[in-house]
Amino acid sequence: MTTAPDNERRERLKAKREAALHRPVLARELSAGFTGRWSRRQWAQASLFATIGMLIAAIVPGFNPQAPVTTQTPRHSMALTLPPLPMSRLRGQHGDSWQIVRVSRGQTLGKIFEEHGVPATTMHRLLEHPGVKQALTRLKPGTELGLDLPVNGGLRALRFDRDDSHRVELTLVGNDIRETVIERPTETRTVVLSGEVGRSLYRSARKLGLDGKHISTLTDEIFKYDIDFNEDVGAKDRFSVVVEQTWREGELIRTGPVLAATFTTGDKLHSGFRFERNGKAEYFTADGRSLRKSFIRMPIPYARLTSGFGTRRHPVLGTSRMHKGVDYAAGTGTPIMAAGDARVAFVGWKGGYGRAVILDHGRGYTTLYGHMSKFGNYKAGQRISQGAVIGYVGSSGMSTGPHLHYEFRVNGVHRNPLSITMPPPEPLSGAALAQFRTQTRTALDRIREVENIIYADVDGDDDSSSRVAKKAAPVKGGPKA
């Protein structure tokens, strides 16, 4: 039987257990064996737990009981009046919505209008206006057009350059078209561009502002017969070119053809000058002789020689006979060029030659072209230039396959076109020579002046590939374009 003292004792023990279970750990550890003074171990433990608590409070603000509680800040909106639009914008007046278009390759006016939502009927109305069809039916890449397209309407105006100095603006007003011509002054400067070949002639010339056509003029027209550009040209060799540049409103809009050029390879100077003879532009040496040879030895591109000049066994007749020309094998339709400037003496069928053309070059020189598949657009009596296409390779007449039979005659006597010494071109004479010499002397002096400035320190500069320069001073009395 349980007595009252036992019950009291059990209640006291239970109360102590409950108190021990709810006592904080740190307090329980620090109070274990407490004698009134903390031991060194108790101080270390207290410091460790305090440091951990401070770090947790700093890193995780939620653990910090003193961290401020964010509250939702009320937001207010306010209606503000915008500044009024200009009247031109409000009414959609002229000049508020111009869109500039630069024509890309293959792009037509119809495509441009379609891309901008302009109906074809509007385009046809514009093309019927005087001068528009000629200016806009064949757009060159880079041509700039302006379209006035308001947001709330169709095309209101079209703007384009009629030429370098005049801009045309066509405004659509109801059923009418009003034309306004704006003058844009231009300035023409004759400049000398000079540079060294460096790593690449093409690259250096492009740095100067010359395009592919100018470079082809140097390599394929002026210096073609005097310089082998694959073998003879070094990095230190230099070239100078005289051209006319057209500027408008501070922008270079066009560079004209090469008027004069020099090319120095090693210690040798080559030069060429543009001059019009009988209304045709040619390039001449400094003493007035044409740089273009009188005759092309091979009047057909991409062909191989299959039969030379002399006695041979005829491939059709099977007999041994004189072959009075040379044969070039090529595919049917390959163009055939005139070997030199000439008058067309004969066009038609000529026995075993089949379809043939005979050219009279003057001074007793004639050439014959046989076995054509078809003729060019020339008739007997017409004058043609060297390189003009007079027909196309075929196999007409006595022929075993498509090829060109080419003959060269001097005063009616057949000569081998591969070995004969071609006659030199006719030099300038009389008043034409005097005018040419005046132009040549001025241009050449200007080139030398520019080169003396640019290459004065040529020995002290090793970076030849990057040395390109230009002189934009006028060349008075220079060669005419």
Side-chain angles (χ1 to χ4, degrees), residues 362-383:
R363 296 184 292 169
Y365 293 91
T366 60
T367 53
L368 179 145
Y369 312 78
H371 305 307
M372 293 183 178
S373 60
K374 62 178 181 178
F375 302 113
N377 297 321
Y378 298 103
K379 296 180 180 179
Q382 282 186 268
R383 296 207 64 86

Side-chain angles (χ1 to χ4, degrees), residues 83-158:
L85 286 172
M87 292 304 295
S88 61
R89 287 282 186 181
L90 190 61
R91 297 175 182 176
Q93 290 184 354
H94 181 81
D96 68 339
S97 53
W98 280 103
Q99 296 190 35
I100 306 302
V101 178
R102 284 195 177 273
V103 178
S104 57
R105 187 175 298 276
Q107 200 171 24
T108 63
L109 184 65
K111 289 183 179 179
I112 294 172
F113 275 27
E114 182 181 353
E115 291 172 359
H116 289 80
V118 180
T121 53
T122 303
M123 181 185 71
H124 293 310
R125 281 181 59 198
L126 291 168
L127 291 176
E128 290 173 358
H129 190 78
V132 176
K133 192 171 185 178
Q134 294 82 349
L136 299 181
T137 48
R138 293 185 179 180
L139 296 173
K140 295 181 179 179
T143 301
E144 184 179 288
L145 300 178
L147 286 79
D148 186 15
L149 290 165
V151 176
N152 58 348
L155 179 68
R156 189 163 46 198
L158 173 67

Side-chain angles (χ1 to χ4, degrees), residues 330-408:
T332 300
T334 302
I336 301 168
M337 301 176 292
D341 295 343
R343 178 183 61 83
V344 180
F346 176 84
V347 178
W349 189 274
K350 192 173 180 62
Y353 292 112
R355 295 184 184 87
V357 172
I358 299 177
L359 301 181
D360 183 357
H361 303 277
R363 296 184 292 169
Y365 293 91
T366 60
T367 53
L368 179 145
Y369 312 78
H371 305 307
M372 293 183 178
S373 60
K374 62 178 181 178
F375 302 113
N377 297 321
Y378 298 103
K379 296 180 180 179
Q382 282 186 268
R383 296 207 64 86
I384 61 174
S385 300
Q386 183 183 77
V389 176
I390 57 174
Y392 302 87
V393 169
S395 188
S396 58
M398 289 201 307
S399 171
T400 58
H403 72 283
L404 166 67
H405 174 80
Y406 174 55
E407 293 183 4
F408 192 93

Side-chain angles (χ1 to χ4, degrees), residues 196-217:
E196 287 191 350
V197 173
R199 297 178 182 176
S200 164
L201 172 61
Y202 183 86
R203 178 183 175 187
S204 298
R206 293 290 290 176
K207 281 186 178 180
L208 290 173
L210 299 174
D211 59 24
K213 189 174 181 180
H214 294 118
I215 300 169
S216 295
T217 298

Side-chain angles (χ1 to χ4, degrees), residues 196 236 238 454-464 467:
E196 287 191 350
K236 292 288 186 179
R238 61 178 180 255
I454 296 173
Y455 304 108
D457 58 346
V458 66
D459 295 331
D461 187 356
D462 294 330
D463 187 11
S464 61
R467 187 191 302 111

Side-chain angles (χ1 to χ4, degrees), residues 3 112 177 385 423 440:
T3 61
I112 294 172
I177 297 177
S385 300
T440 301

Side-chain angles (χ1 to χ4, degrees), residues 63-86:
F63 286 5
N64 187 355
Q66 297 180 354
V69 179
T70 58
T71 59
Q72 188 71 22
T73 305
R75 297 183 181 181
H76 303 279
S77 56
M78 182 182 298
L80 298 176
T81 57
L82 295 174
L85 286 172

